[in-house]
Amino acid sequence: QVQLVESGGGLVQPGGSLRLSCAASGFIFSIYSMGWYRQTPGKQREYVATITSGGSTIYADSVKGRFTVSRDNAEKTVYLQMNSLKPEDTAVYYCKATRGGTNYWGQGTQVTVSF
């Protein structure tokens, strides 16, 4: 059974940091590209970052220079280090596993950036 379980969300003040984790099981993690997306109420899900199976990374312009995506294939986990957080980063963050036409999603973790 495929599972993606995000954790690490919470409330943080502007300028602070959080590290999200996404633990995978039920598929061959190392051969999948792993992505992070986010969504706020009433808006479409927004792309944040990707790390490919080969370790290449891609970022949305809105997070470039502040967020870092990484993966640990031995632990079957992908991470999103978020620094210099802004109120507009507030959202539910989801991880996604992609290979060819196959996509798996996690259930999401809430990140709130506020005083």
Side-chain angles (χ1 to χ4, degrees):
Q1 180 183 359
V2 171
Q3 277 195 311
L4 291 171
V5 180
E6 299 96 335
S7 61
L11 174 64
V12 63
Q13 292 188 357
S17 298
L18 280 176
R19 188 176 83 152
L20 305 184
S21 301
C22 173
S25 60
F27 63 99
I28 306 173
F29 177 81
S30 62
I31 65 174
Y32 278 69
S33 287
M34 299 299 298
W36 287 95
Y37 292 74
R38 64 189 182 186
Q39 189 169 23
T40 54
K43 293 188 177 181
Q44 288 192 329
R45 198 166 290 188
E46 174 191 22
Y47 170 77
V48 175
T50 295
I51 183 164
T52 69
S53 57
S56 298
T57 57
I58 308 165
Y59 297 93
D61 287 344
S62 59
V63 307
K64 202 172 292 183
R66 300 188 298 122
F67 290 10
T68 303
V69 60
S70 61
R71 65 191 296 161
D72 184 334
N73 287 339
E75 295 295 324
K76 298 182 182 180
T77 301
V78 61
Y79 303 98
L80 185 67
Q81 177 67 43
M82 306 186 294
N83 299 329
S84 302
L85 283 161
K86 305 174 181 179
E88 51 263 43
D89 294 318
T90 295
V92 177
Y93 283 71
Y94 299 88
C95 70
K96 175 186 175 185
T98 300
R99 179 173 171 83
T102 300
N103 296 299
Y104 303 123
W105 288 93
Q107 84 291 347
T109 186
Q110 176 70 47
V111 171
T112 303
V113 185
S114 179
F115 286 108

